[in-house]
Amino acid sequence: GILQIQNALALREGSAFERGRFVGQLEKEMAWQAYDAARKTRDALMDARRRLRMDKVEDWGGLTEEQLRAKLTERRVMVVRDGEEE
């Protein structure tokens, strides 16, 4: 972070190559940290979406037979024709 940047700017000894190498390492480390933070954010978002989807699942266990039949018909799992179920 900031300490590494201060070290890079304070580095007066050595060749321009050494300073450039240090700055390159610093840039690469910062890029990896940004990538890792983005990955963790994506993973957390996907987990939150998954949990939200699981929380929205209705419990049909307490439905009466008529209510269950209506839900299944509404979801097009079951079709009622001429009073008979298919």
Side-chain angles (χ1 to χ4, degrees), residues 14-75:
S15 67
F17 174 78
E18 289 172 339
R19 287 191 298 274
R21 194 179 115 227
F22 185 77
V23 170
Q25 287 175 342
L26 176 64
E27 288 174 341
K28 186 173 184 175
E29 179 61 28
M30 290 173 67
W32 273 108
Q33 287 179 7
Y35 172 80
D36 194 42
R39 181 188 55 79
K40 287 179 181 179
T41 301
R42 258 192 323 273
D43 290 348
L45 181 60
M46 289 173 61
D47 287 344
R49 284 181 181 164
R50 196 174 303 117
R51 279 194 306 274
L52 186 59
R53 232 181 287 130
M54 295 298 282
D55 289 347
K56 285 186 175 181
V57 174
E58 296 178 57
D59 180 16
W60 290 8
L63 297 179
T64 65
E65 185 178 337
E66 284 300 314
Q67 291 171 328
L68 182 58
R69 186 176 288 124
K71 285 276 191 188
L72 291 173
T73 305
E74 176 185 312
R75 301 260 174 134

